[in-house]
């Protein structure tokens, strides 16, 4: 189903990854505090998925953005801005094209210390979500040029009792005039919550009995992954009628989820699952089966997983980024019936890091020192929350239509 057409080595452990919403760009945040944007080659022959994908990956820019490590990245909905959050307690807004910092704000402290950011997400052109390890979700108002309207958040919500591990915007309703989401689903600790931009936290689930690490909206369904290797699936808006469960990795955590791009991998609603053992599994959420299994890395788990505008899958973990393209040759019927294993094929895609890509774009950073960050991941240790809950498959979401 997918061929690995390129592997991009990194100078430090990957802590954050974001895929541009419109153009073939990827943004990477490293443990060293560096942030960099890479430009993928355009596909050829008029087919965005099968037309080649050969060429070079260029470094658009690279800078030492944060003292410490970069924990999270997010492009604005129009792709013109890049938001980054670091262990230095700062959120910075930069121009995607140049890397020049436009604005920055300090993350609110928690008990007189830095509250580390777990997720930064640009919900709308005017609203930025910032989730932290203390279970807070701060909502910031943004001005038209992307700068922060005030030094502090406009709203703060606490939908969970533990750090926020994922945020998944719900699709806008039929009556939406802006076309942007006003609600999102978050995972934190052992619970799921639905929050509205205006009304605040609408509902929180019961204790699910395991630490929840990832979430994604897939074809009108909510998919959530946890530390036990189980993928839980709910119908959107039918939160009180139980859940479907699919074991995708025995003893391995489901660290990251991404809806497979429309038209990729045939018909059906599919989700790409990034595992703690470095495996990537493509799951059909309607048929509830694993269709393809790929290997990103033999040692490090997945940190980032997404699909760029031309349908190629980008996986990141450890000190490697991989670009995957839908296979040119269809698999045999026998292979389609089994769990397919992706074969890594080097089709000539090379990487290029020009000297101009290493220039310092962030003029407010005066230090050239790179902090020797440890391999601390965004999530907590796996044994947290394993003993909670009663093991029921149903989830009580009260107050939701």
């Amino acid at each position: 189903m997918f061929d690995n057409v390129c592997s991009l080595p990194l100078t430090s452990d990957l802590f954050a990854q974001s895929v541009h919403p419109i153009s073939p760009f990827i943004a990477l945040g490293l443990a060293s505090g560096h942030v960099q944007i890479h430009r993928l080659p355009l596909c050829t022959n008029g087919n965005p998925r099968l037309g080649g994908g050969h060429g070079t990956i260029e470094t658009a820019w690279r800078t030492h953005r944060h003292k410490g490590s970069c924990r999270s990245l997010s492009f604005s909905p129009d792709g013109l801005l890049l938001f980054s959050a670091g262990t230095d307690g700062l959120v910075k807004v930069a121009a995607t094209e140049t890397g020049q910092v436009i604005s920055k704000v300090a993350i609110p402290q928690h008990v007189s210390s830095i509250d580390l950011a777990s997720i930064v997400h640009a919900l709308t052109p005017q609203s930025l979500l910032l989730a932290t390890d203390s279970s807070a979700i701060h909502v910031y108002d943004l001005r038209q040029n992307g700068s922060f309207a005030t030094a502090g958040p406009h709203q703060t919500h606490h939908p969970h009792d533990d750090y926020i591990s994922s945020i998944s915007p719900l699709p806008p309703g039929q009556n939406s005039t802006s076309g942007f989401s006003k609600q999102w689903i978050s995972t934190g600790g052992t619970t799921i919550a639905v929050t509205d931009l205006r009304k605040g936290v609408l509902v929180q689930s019961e204790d699910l009995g395991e630490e929840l690490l990832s979430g994604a909206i897939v074809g009108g369904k909510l998919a959530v992954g946890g530390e036990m290797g189980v993928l839980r699936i709910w119908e959107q808006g039918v939160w009180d009628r139980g859940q479907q469960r699919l074991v995708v990795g025995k003893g391995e955590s489901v660290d990251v989820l991404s809806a497979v791009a429309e038209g990729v991998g045939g018909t059906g609603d599919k989700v790409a699952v990034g595992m703690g053992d470095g495996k990537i599994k493509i799951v059909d959420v309607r048929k509830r089966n694993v269709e393809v299994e790929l290997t990103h890395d033999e040692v490090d788990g997945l940190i980032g997983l997404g699909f760029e505008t031309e349908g190629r899958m980008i996986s990141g973990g450890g000190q490697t980024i991989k670009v995957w393209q839908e296979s040119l040759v269809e698999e045999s019927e026998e292979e389609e019936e089994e769990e397919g294993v992706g074969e890594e094929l080097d089709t000539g895609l090379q990487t290029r890091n020009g000297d101009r890509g290493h220039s310092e774009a962030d003029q407010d950073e005066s230090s050239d020192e790179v902090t020797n960050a440890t391999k601390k991941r965004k999530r907590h240790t796996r044994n947290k929350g394993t003993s909670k809950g009663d093991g029921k498959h149903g989830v009580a979401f009260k107050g939701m239509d």
Side-chain angles (χ1 to χ4, degrees), residues 77-285:
D78 59 9
L80 296 179
L81 303 173
L82 178 66
F83 299 87
S84 64
T87 56
D88 53 6
L90 295 175
V91 177
K92 297 187 178 183
V93 189
T96 297
E97 183 177 1
T98 65
Q100 185 68 43
V101 170
I102 297 171
S103 180
K104 61 183 177 180
V105 69
I107 300 172
Q109 291 189 336
H110 176 67
V111 194
S112 301
S113 62
I114 294 177
D115 190 9
L116 295 179
S118 58
I119 299 171
V120 60
H121 180 85
L123 184 69
T124 73
Q126 294 81 35
S127 300
L128 179 74
L129 305 181
L130 174 66
T132 70
D133 281 1
S134 71
S135 78
I137 296 182
H138 303 293
V139 182
Y140 286 88
D141 286 343
L142 301 174
R143 294 194 178 99
Q144 194 168 17
N145 64 351
S147 63
F148 292 97
T150 60
H154 174 65
Q155 302 174 28
T156 297
H157 308 293
H158 290 272
H160 306 283
D161 297 328
D162 206 341
Y163 85 115
I164 311 299
S165 56
S166 74
I167 291 178
S168 302
L170 288 168
Q174 294 181 349
N175 298 326
S176 174
T177 57
S178 66
F180 294 104
S181 174
K182 297 297 191 298
Q183 295 182 345
W184 64 89
I185 297 180
S186 58
T187 58
T190 61
T191 60
I192 302 169
V194 181
T195 306
D196 185 273
L197 190 60
R198 299 186 181 91
K199 301 176 182 179
V201 179
L202 299 177
V203 67
Q204 185 187 52
S205 76
E206 65 184 10
D207 193 321
L208 294 179
E210 68 167 323
E211 187 178 8
L212 305 177
L213 305 174
S214 55
I217 301 297
V218 185
K221 298 176 183 289
L222 170 65
V224 171
E227 62 178 339
M228 298 180 183
V230 176
L231 189 64
R232 302 166 185 260
I233 302 169
W234 288 269
E235 291 285 347
Q236 185 176 320
V238 194
W239 313 111
D240 58 346
R241 298 183 185 177
Q243 60 180 285
Q244 299 175 335
R245 293 163 57 96
L246 175 65
V247 178
V248 293
K250 295 181 179 179
E252 291 295 339
S253 57
V254 179
D255 289 353
V256 60
L257 296 173
S258 177
V260 174
E262 185 178 356
V264 175
T267 59
D269 298 324
K270 297 179 174 61
V271 61
V273 181
M275 307 295 297
D277 61 356
K279 295 289 195 302
I280 304 170
K281 301 186 180 184
I282 308 298
V283 176
D284 189 313
V285 297

Side-chain angles (χ1 to χ4, degrees), residues 280-354:
I280 304 170
K281 301 186 180 184
I282 308 298
V283 176
D284 189 313
V285 297
R286 294 194 181 277
K287 297 179 181 179
R288 289 193 296 168
N289 69 293
V290 178
E291 293 191 341
V292 176
E293 181 177 311
L294 310 167
T295 299
H296 172 83
D297 192 275
E298 298 287 352
V299 177
D300 292 301
L302 272 294
I303 293 295
L305 196 59
F307 288 81
E308 51 88 46
T309 184
E310 295 187 343
R312 290 166 292 191
M313 182 171 68
I314 315 297
S315 63
Q319 295 187 9
T320 306
I321 295 293
K322 289 189 176 182
V323 181
W324 306 82
Q325 183 170 303
E326 196 170 20
S327 301
L328 296 173
V329 181
E330 294 190 8
E331 298 172 326
S332 66
E333 292 184 2
E334 180 180 356
E335 289 174 329
E336 291 176 349
E337 293 174 355
E338 300 174 352
E339 288 189 11
V341 178
E343 184 180 10
E344 298 188 7
L345 300 176
D346 185 356
T347 59
L349 192 62
Q350 303 295 323
T351 64
R352 183 176 71 199
N353 290 308

Side-chain angles (χ1 to χ4, degrees), residues 11-13 15 29-34 62-70 86-89 319 365 367-376:
T11 58
S12 181
D13 283 345
F15 269 27
L30 306 184
S32 62
H34 286 84
R62 183 177 189 267
T63 183
H64 186 204
R65 178 103 318 150
H66 293 279
K67 296 177 181 178
S69 58
C70 176
T87 56
D88 53 6
Q319 295 187 9
E365 284 290 7
S367 173
D368 293 329
E369 179 181 358
V370 176
T371 303
N372 292 322
T374 60
K375 280 193 172 184
K376 178 183 177 182

Side-chain angles (χ1 to χ4, degrees), residues 75 159 196 366:
F75 283 106
D196 185 273
S366 59

